[in-house]
Amino acid sequence: MAAATCCFSAGTGTGNSLSFLTSHRPSTSLRPPPSLFIPKAVHQKSSSSPHHPPSQKAGGKQNFIWRSKDERHLANNDGRSSKNETGRSKSTAFKFSGLQRKGSGKGAPFESKEPQVETGFIEDAPFLNAVVKVFCTHTAPDYSLPWQKQRQFASTGSAFMIGDGKLLTNAHCVEHGTQVKVKRRGDDTKYVAKVLARGVECDIALLSVESKDFWKGAEPLCFGHLPHLQDAVTVVGYPLGGDTISVTKGVVSRVEVTSYAHGSSELLGIQIDAAINPGNSGGPAFNDDGECIGVAFQVYRSDDVENIGYVIPAMVVSHFLEDYERNGKYSGFPCLGVLLQKLENPALRACLRVPSNEGVLVRKIEPTSDVSNVVKEGDVIVSFDGVRVGCEGTVPFRSSERIAFRYLISQKFTGDVAELGIIRAGEFLKVQAVLKPRVHLVPYHIEGGQPSYLIVAGLVFTPLSEPLIEEECEDTIGLKLLIKARYSFAKFEGEQIVILSQVLANEVNIGYEDLSNEQVLKLNGTRIKNIHHLAHLVDSCKDKYLVFEFEDNFLVALEREAASSASSSILIDYGIPAERSSDLLEPYVDSIGPYEATDQHEFGDSPVSNSEFGYDGLLWA
């Protein structure tokens, strides 16, 4: 099976080359999602690791090297993203192509059939000096044991200068980074870098280096236009096979909406045939004019194909930088929050009273989206900001191409207003909606580093997340939870699926020791909204018993006072520092308000039909 992976190099103490492909979105026979795998760096005893900078306060207006006016126009008309915004990404297999685990020079499983070499005729080109090597030490959370972290490891990747003391690299290069250092070409000094912003969906991170010595004689790169098919492209970075800068050449094979493995999103991507290997992630791709057309970030690996690499286009990078400049932080790419169906069948269009060969049917709407206030299930979206939407869910792109409808949405920023042309019961209407990022019921990434947890008499509760599913393996999560994770909508902001991840055996919880990865629905008859709400219910309970209700009316009852008394000894026996994560020590504020729930489908559940499992006629926007 093809695998989409993000390649970075890290080394083990033995010097063997190990590459771990970790799916942020594990593949399953249930979902139409992609097999998107993220390679975690191999543990290394040395502290020199590839990429990750701590965050730093954003200053005033940043003087980034922006696109020219021509390119800004291009960004409004060229293709970008057809992400499964309210759902998960489509089935694809990518490998992040940038992080290279240190010490993995020999026997690397990511060897490309096209050799990666230093080409002498451009070795003096000034733009090469703007490309730097990134060393990051990563310390990831342990999602199964949420009170602790995993063993740290080191990796290396690439980055490049964009002006005003800033660098760009891939977000996956600095994920869970505790220390980030960078080194210029021809220099033997490593400088500490800080992470100013990470864009998970677009897999971009913004770094800063305060040392003035690092920037002496530095010339930032300028961004170029979106390339055309067969345009020459040069990829520069620090991949496996050596310590010096490396250059590979190829051509642009395709420009279309692409699945981004790290963020499980879909945005505009450039497919190239130049070799991209572990360690290239975060490095720039140039056109023949020496302009940066994007950032290398992933490759497609399969027995059936070769030399398929992907570059994040300059217009996606520009969107990320402008978002950061506007808000002082990264706020994300917005979405409509609707599940759509193609209208290729003439009889279906006639039945819906759509007069022309256009439009997409609204199947479902996310309750948390603003669109839910103006669009109804059964409506047909025929235009977005005046651009006609085809019956296949595509819109015009450049002079003679078409691209996924979601591209238009991804050109917008959080808080922007979009005008939708819809047909409802045969009548054409125009409505407006505010766009904002999707609210994930089961997040792909946990902000703040450490996951939340609550321990009650040895029962360990934590929110369900994609990293936890990945760590636990899908087989241990269960079919019902997997379906919810892949296809359910959040009914309100802040909603979580809270699960009993495991039971720390003790005489107070006898008979419950074998329970694991079960969703808890109620405590003493009250619906649980999220992990903080559960902690509040436990703390405020005055009843004799704590009665937890799970799926299929399975009950766990604990005597409240006995449970409280046993907590301290359980923590000591298992070497756990606290009975709850620090975020649950804050007072609980019910910002959600009263929420009526009459059955088990009201929270964390959204029944799906078999037609939603991979049917190509369905789109997310």
Side-chain angles (χ1 to χ4, degrees):
M1 173 173 147
T5 57
C6 170
C7 313
F8 61 92
S9 89
T12 62
T14 63
N16 294 327
S17 172
L18 300 177
S19 296
F20 295 93
L21 305 182
T22 349
S23 171
H24 276 261
R25 215 173 161 200
S27 61
T28 166
S29 59
L30 293 180
R31 68 178 210 271
S35 313
L36 305 182
F37 297 92
I38 299 173
K40 289 188 176 178
V42 177
H43 297 62
Q44 180 188 21
K45 294 182 179 178
S46 161
S47 63
S48 64
S49 88
H51 16 288
H52 183 348
S55 71
Q56 162 181 322
K57 279 189 175 179
K61 187 174 179 76
Q62 309 297 324
N63 298 317
F64 297 121
I65 307 299
W66 296 109
R67 296 172 291 186
S68 64
K69 290 184 180 179
D70 289 340
E71 182 169 353
R72 287 182 180 276
H73 175 72
L74 183 81
N76 290 328
N77 298 300
D78 288 333
R80 177 119 146 207
S81 142
S82 115
K83 155 155 193 200
N84 162 342
E85 248 325 342
T86 41
R88 313 285 179 177
S89 352
K90 300 177 183 174
S91 214
T92 55
F94 294 99
K95 296 187 177 182
F96 285 129
S97 64
L99 290 167
Q100 104 180 33
R101 300 196 175 235
K102 299 194 78 180
S104 54
K106 295 184 180 180
F110 293 102
E111 292 178 358
S112 169
K113 294 184 180 179
E114 180 178 341
Q116 201 149 6
V117 297
E118 291 192 343
T119 52
F121 68 94
I122 65 167
E123 66 181 13
D124 296 325
F127 62 73
L128 291 185
N129 294 324
V131 185
V132 304
K133 190 169 185 176
V134 181
F135 302 81
C136 184
T137 301
H138 309 260
T139 309
D142 189 327
Y143 295 93
S144 298
L145 304 173
W147 49 85
Q148 66 185 35
K149 289 184 177 291
Q150 299 179 28
R151 184 184 181 89
Q152 75 175 26
F153 62 90
S155 66
T156 65
S158 306
F160 59 94
M161 303 174 183
I162 61 171
D164 194 33
K166 305 295 188 301
L167 299 166
L168 277 183
T169 186
N170 284 144
H172 72 261
C173 290
V174 295
E175 185 176 33
H176 305 308
T178 51
Q179 183 187 69
V180 181
K181 294 178 289 187
V182 294
K183 186 175 74 170
R184 290 183 60 175
R185 181 190 183 203
D187 194 353
D188 61 354
T189 304
K190 296 175 184 176
Y191 298 87
V192 174
K194 295 182 178 180
V195 178
L196 299 181
R198 287 182 64 247
V200 173
E201 300 103 319
C202 57
D203 199 3
I204 302 172
L206 182 65
L207 315 182
S208 71
V209 177
E210 295 180 355
S211 174
K212 294 181 180 179
D213 292 338
F214 176 80
W215 297 102
K216 285 181 180 178
E219 294 184 17
L221 300 182
C222 294
F223 290 111
H225 298 286
L226 187 70
H228 293 275
L229 300 184
Q230 284 296 304
D231 280 358
V233 60
T234 301
V235 177
V236 180
Y238 291 87
L240 292 172
D243 295 326
T244 58
I245 200 165
S246 179
V247 177
T248 55
K249 300 200 72 175
V251 298
V252 174
S253 307
R254 184 179 288 155
V255 178
E256 65 177 1
V257 166
T258 301
S259 292
Y260 280 47
H262 181 65
S264 293
S265 58
E266 291 185 2
L267 299 169
L268 189 65
I270 302 171
Q271 181 183 317
I272 63 174
D273 66 356
I276 297 180
N277 287 312
N280 271 125
S281 278
F286 297 96
N287 59 22
D288 279 346
D289 296 325
E291 297 172 324
C292 177
I293 62 167
V295 185
F297 76 116
Q298 65 187 24
V299 294
Y300 187 98
R301 298 295 188 190
S302 168
D303 293 338
D304 301 323
V305 300
E306 58 184 47
N307 293 339
I308 295 182
Y310 291 90
V311 171
I312 302 169
M315 62 174 60
V316 176
V317 175
S318 219
H319 187 288
F320 167 83
L321 292 175
E322 188 170 339
D323 184 6
Y324 174 77
E325 186 179 46
R326 284 184 180 189
N327 305 304
K329 63 179 182 178
Y330 172 71
S331 60
F333 284 79
C335 71
L336 273 182
V338 292
L339 172 65
L340 304 172
Q341 179 179 341
K342 298 176 183 179
L343 294 183
E344 298 176 275
N345 187 277
L348 179 57
R349 291 196 300 272
C351 176
L352 296 170
R353 291 192 270 178
V354 179
S356 56
N357 184 22
E358 61 184 3
V360 284
L361 174 66
V362 176
R363 284 280 313 277
K364 286 187 177 181
I365 304 173
E366 285 192 4
T368 56
S369 71
D370 188 64
V371 172
S372 63
N373 299 319
V374 293
V375 174
K376 299 179 179 179
E377 293 179 2
D379 287 349
V380 176
I381 299 176
V382 294
S383 69
F384 182 91
D385 278 350
V387 179
R388 309 302 290 183
V389 179
C391 64
E392 288 187 320
T394 59
V395 294
F397 176 59
R398 299 205 276 205
S399 59
S400 59
E401 302 171 71
R402 296 189 70 83
I403 199 164
F405 165 45
R406 192 191 178 308
Y407 158 70
L408 294 179
I409 304 169
S410 68
Q411 298 301 300
K412 297 282 194 176
F413 290 88
T414 298
D416 286 355
V417 176
E419 182 181 79
L420 300 175
I422 63 174
I423 293 178
R424 178 179 297 163
E427 181 182 358
F428 178 76
L429 304 170
K430 284 188 177 181
V431 298
Q432 292 187 333
V434 177
L435 301 178
K436 58 182 181 179
R438 183 188 175 195
V439 176
H440 290 284
L441 179 62
V442 178
Y444 292 109
H445 297 264
I446 304 239
E447 295 300 327
Q450 209 66 12
S452 302
Y453 73 90
L454 173 69
I455 302 176
V456 180
L459 278 63
V460 181
F461 297 98
T462 190
L464 184 65
S465 64
E466 288 290 350
L468 177 61
I469 293 175
E470 173 190 325
E471 199 169 283
E472 285 287 297
C473 299
E474 294 181 354
D475 291 343
T476 67
I477 293 295
L479 180 64
K480 192 170 282 191
L481 270 184
L482 281 179
I483 291 177
K484 289 183 181 181
R486 308 305 183 203
Y487 303 101
S488 294
F489 295 149
K491 300 295 187 297
F492 47 83
E493 291 192 33
E495 183 183 6
Q496 295 174 327
I497 293 179
V498 181
I499 66 168
L500 171 63
S501 65
Q502 62 177 306
V503 176
L504 308 174
N506 183 273
E507 62 182 57
V508 75
N509 54 46
I510 287 177
Y512 307 136
E513 304 93 332
D514 295 332
L515 291 175
S516 67
N517 297 325
E518 298 286 346
Q519 182 184 3
V520 57
L521 302 175
K522 298 178 181 179
L523 174 61
N524 289 1
T526 301
R527 281 276 172 180
I528 296 169
K529 301 174 182 179
N530 50 48
I531 186 72
H532 207 159
H533 184 222
L534 174 60
H536 169 71
L537 293 177
V538 171
D539 293 342
S540 59
C541 179
K542 304 299 181 185
D543 297 339
K544 182 176 181 179
Y545 295 99
L546 295 170
V547 181
F548 299 92
E549 184 176 331
F550 296 84
E551 290 280 3
D552 302 320
N553 297 319
F554 185 88
L555 299 180
V556 168
L558 299 170
E559 188 176 355
R560 182 173 59 83
E561 292 185 359
S564 179
S565 301
S567 292
S568 58
S569 62
I570 292 175
L571 296 181
I572 293 173
D573 290 344
Y574 289 89
I576 301 172
E579 67 176 3
R580 65 185 65 189
S581 53
S582 58
D583 59 311
L584 301 187
L585 297 175
E586 299 293 327
Y588 175 71
V589 178
D590 190 355
S591 58
I592 301 165
Y595 193 90
E596 294 297 327
T598 56
D599 60 52
Q600 67 177 10
H601 299 300
E602 291 297 329
F603 284 100
D605 202 352
S606 179
V608 291
S609 62
N610 291 334
S611 66
E612 292 181 26
F613 294 144
Y615 172 44
D616 193 45
L618 297 174
L619 310 164
W620 289 102

